[in-house]
């Protein structure tokens, strides 16, 4: 039984965050707020079970939106285990200095959010959802996680805990444009991005059940 349950809540915060807009191909430019896909990833880092899935309902922005400009040296090509094994066997190696470029990231700084979400049972699972909800609450209260949650990019790690009574949204509204809701995968493993029209209403991003099919 799932029923209409009260949202589960967790507070996430960190020094930096970057929730990259998909239309930016080379430089990373962040959305002003956390995206539902990033929130889902953070919750799965805290609590994941194969029987359940997370559905994000709301994201509350707790601190004024502030940006940081970061320049980093990044390599142009992705490296593979196969290449490394070839170097170990036949010699050679990788010269990062000859294959790197300086790239700009427009990130967020000093961020904090409250994520409101539901745990839902996957198809074919008949467990009592209450036990999973209780497990999640205990993990948040004790600060336990399967992996360190992060804020968009893995180098921007997040702290987490229970929200307090003073964790209220900022008074700011803004049209955010198209935002990634989820990626649906077919039987062959091909993913298709699903978007929605996002807006911040007095510091709250509300996430719909429905998505836009934009091709």
């Amino acid at each position: 039984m799932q029923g209409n349950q009260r949202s589960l809540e967790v507070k996430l915060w960190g020094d930096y965050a970057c929730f990259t807009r998909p239309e930016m191909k080379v430089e990373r430019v962040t959305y002003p707020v956390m995206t539902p896909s990033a929130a889902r990833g953070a919750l799965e880092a805290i609590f994941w079970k194969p029987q359940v899935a997370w559905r994000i309902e709301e994201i509350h922005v707790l601190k004024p939106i502030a940006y940081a400009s970061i320049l980093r040296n990044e390599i142009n090509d992705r490296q593979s285990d196969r290449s490394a094994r070839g170097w170990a066997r036949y010699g050679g190696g990788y010269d990062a200095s000859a294959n790197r470029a300086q790239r700009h990231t427009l990130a967020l700084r000093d961020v904090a959010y409250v994520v409101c979400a539901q745990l839902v049972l996957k198809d074919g699972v008949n467990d009592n959802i209450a036990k999973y909800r209780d497990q999640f609450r205990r993990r948040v209260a004790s600060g336990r996680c399967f992996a360190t949650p992060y804020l968009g990019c893995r180098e921007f790690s997040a702290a987490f805990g229970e929200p307090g009574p003073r964790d209220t949204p900022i008074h700011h509204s803004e049209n955010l444009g198209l935002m990634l809701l989820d990626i649906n995968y077919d039987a062959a493993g091909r993913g298709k991005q699903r978007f929605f029209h996002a807006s911040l209403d007095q510091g709250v991003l509300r996430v719909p059940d429905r998505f836009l099919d934009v091709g």
Side-chain angles (χ1 to χ4, degrees):
M1 298 291 292
Q2 295 187 224
N4 294 320
Q5 303 274 2
R6 181 178 177 180
S7 296
L8 295 167
E9 298 183 351
V10 63
K11 181 180 178 181
L12 299 161
W13 68 94
D15 295 331
Y16 293 97
C18 184
F19 310 110
T20 307
R21 302 189 71 104
E23 65 267 28
M24 302 301 176
K25 302 300 183 183
V26 178
E27 310 293 350
R28 292 193 183 98
V29 177
T30 185
Y31 282 103
V33 303
M34 178 181 246
T35 60
S37 56
R40 187 183 307 109
L43 292 182
E44 289 177 348
I46 299 170
F47 179 78
W48 178 88
K49 293 286 184 181
Q51 298 90 343
V52 294
W54 285 103
R55 196 188 81 74
I56 309 301
E57 295 183 322
E58 294 182 351
I59 299 173
H60 298 189
V61 182
L62 305 183
K63 291 188 176 183
I65 298 170
Y67 294 94
S69 182
I70 302 172
L71 285 175
R72 295 185 294 186
N73 290 324
E74 300 181 5
I75 60 174
N76 295 316
D77 301 321
R78 180 176 294 180
Q79 303 309 301
S80 67
D81 291 338
R82 181 179 179 181
S83 297
R85 289 194 297 268
W87 298 330
R89 179 175 297 180
Y90 305 111
Y94 180 73
D95 183 7
S97 63
N99 190 35
R100 67 185 180 188
Q102 192 172 70
R103 289 193 171 89
H104 174 251
T105 296
L106 183 62
L108 299 165
R109 58 179 175 85
D110 191 21
V111 299
Y113 308 98
V114 169
V115 176
C116 307
Q118 292 287 355
L119 271 173
V120 296
L121 295 174
K122 292 185 178 179
D123 293 341
V125 178
N126 297 316
D127 291 350
N128 187 343
I129 194 64
K131 72 176 183 179
Y132 297 109
R133 291 169 60 89
D134 289 342
Q135 289 173 23
F136 170 73
R137 292 192 188 98
R138 290 196 296 269
R139 293 186 73 85
V140 171
S142 61
R144 290 181 294 156
C145 56
F146 292 114
T148 302
Y150 56 90
L151 299 168
C153 296
R154 289 188 182 275
E155 59 265 41
F156 300 147
S157 59
F160 66 94
E162 297 175 312
R166 301 180 66 179
D167 291 324
T168 56
I170 60 175
H171 297 292
H172 177 73
S173 299
E174 182 179 346
N175 180 14
L176 305 174
L178 288 179
M179 182 177 283
L180 180 68
L181 178 61
D182 203 352
I183 300 177
N184 290 356
Y185 292 93
D186 60 20
R190 294 185 295 264
K192 187 171 185 179
Q193 295 177 331
R194 305 298 191 179
F195 294 87
F196 70 104
H197 285 299
S199 62
L200 193 65
D201 181 15
Q202 290 300 300
V204 178
L205 172 64
R206 295 179 174 85
V207 183
D209 289 326
R210 301 174 65 89
F211 56 79
L212 298 172
D213 193 344
V214 295

